[in-house]
Amino acid sequence: MLVLGLETSCDETGVALYDSERGLLADALFSQIDLHRAYGGVVPELASRDHVKRMLPLIREVLGEAGCAATDIDAIAYTAGPGLVGALLVGASCAQALAFAWDIPAIGVHHMEGHLLAPMLEATPPTFPFVALLVSGGHTQLVRVDGIGQYQLLGESLDDAAGEAFDKTAKLMGLRYPGGPEIARLAERGTPGRFVFPRPMTDRPGLDFSFSGLKTFTLNTWQQCCANGDDSEQTRCDVALAFQQAVVETLTIKCRRALKQTGLNSLVIAGGVSANRALRTSLEDMTAALKGNVFYARPAFCTDNGAMIAYAGCQRLLAGQHEGLAINVQARWPMEQLPAL
Ligand SMILES: Nc1ncnc2c1ncn2[C@@H]1O[C@H](COP(=O)(O)OP(=O)(O)OP(=O)(O)O)[C@@H](O)[C@H]1O
Ligand SMILES: [Mg+2]
């Protein structure tokens, strides 16, 4: 089954062709980062308008790259939520219009299920059951995964998501959007031990997270340094390292707890923050000590992309699921509401 996947939940237009027999045939992405950078974050209306401009050229591009014709496509998968409603509507309308014109089924995919299944596109995919840490711009969740659609939420952020904390902290320190890669880049040159920041909510039981206090702690430290006349590049790197280490160690402590609680030793990390090298190394060390493994996607498939949507949609289509012609998108959509395969 050849599936065209469309992703438009936020500020990336992602398109891909996934074949159930041959695997991923092509994928193309247009990132709107430069468009939103001047505003320090995503402007929803600008995002929607840009998706309209990029969608059809990207579909033509992946067809060309895969050497396929439109008539070869068996079904279309698109992101139906959660995300920015206007942006989601662009992908949903496009998918439903093409599906109607080509007389093929369409299916709306849950964006976080897409992220969660992205490591399945790699050479050594995880096998069920596993614990998943979803760390993206909008979500920080620990989920027990027993199969596609069999999700049990174990814990989540009570305030900022991990990616959001990276982005907001970077903005407060005068860094460019998106802040995650900027902080990671500065942290590489940071002096270990110069600053030590708190590991929020690790001193009490449970699997929930809170990153908003850490963001304020980081801002206060940076402002104190600046007030003392030290706003040097090295100090910026040292603060970035302390912040990143606090996030990484907090996530690692909670992942270890989740593995112990569930009795599992397989961990999947997904979403934009799973591209962070320090986080990967820390989780690799932690799971190795438990004689387990950690799985993640290539960096391009950690952030938003069409490949993960094509893959997730394909699994559900193969199981016989698809939708009518109505265009339905959801800004908020708990993943536990998804039907099991
Ligand atoms: N190397 C990195 N280190 C830390 N954070 C990173 C890194 N690379 C990307 N990020 C962060 O990942 C986030 C983007 O990830 P993603 O595209 O998965 O989120 P989103 O789609 O905006 O949110 P959601 O998937 O929850 O709707 C941003 O917050 C960005 O700063
Ligand atoms: Mg995302």
Side-chain angles (χ1 to χ4, degrees), residues 9 111-112 115 136 304 308:
S9 69
H111 181 76
M112 297 314 293
H115 275 305
S136 59
D304 293 351
M308 66 185 194

Side-chain angles (χ1 to χ4, degrees), residues 111-112 115 136-139 163 166-167 178 180-181 271-273 275-276 302-304:
H111 181 76
M112 297 314 293
H115 275 305
S136 59
H139 295 79
F166 267 98
D167 293 340
V273 182
N276 186 280
C302 290
T303 43
D304 293 351

Side-chain angles (χ1 to χ4, degrees), residues 287-307:
T287 48
L290 296 179
K291 301 203 178 355
N293 284 303
V294 57
F295 300 85
Y296 40 74
R298 69 196 83 167
F301 292 170
C302 290
T303 43
D304 293 351
N305 64 88

Side-chain angles (χ1 to χ4, degrees), residues 19 27 47 68 72 81 109 139 157 179 192 199 224-225 240 247 294 297 307 311:
D19 185 272
D27 108 280
C68 295
D72 296 330
V109 171
H139 295 79
S157 179
R199 275 61 171 149
Q224 191 67 52
C225 291
V247 174
V294 57
Y311 176 84

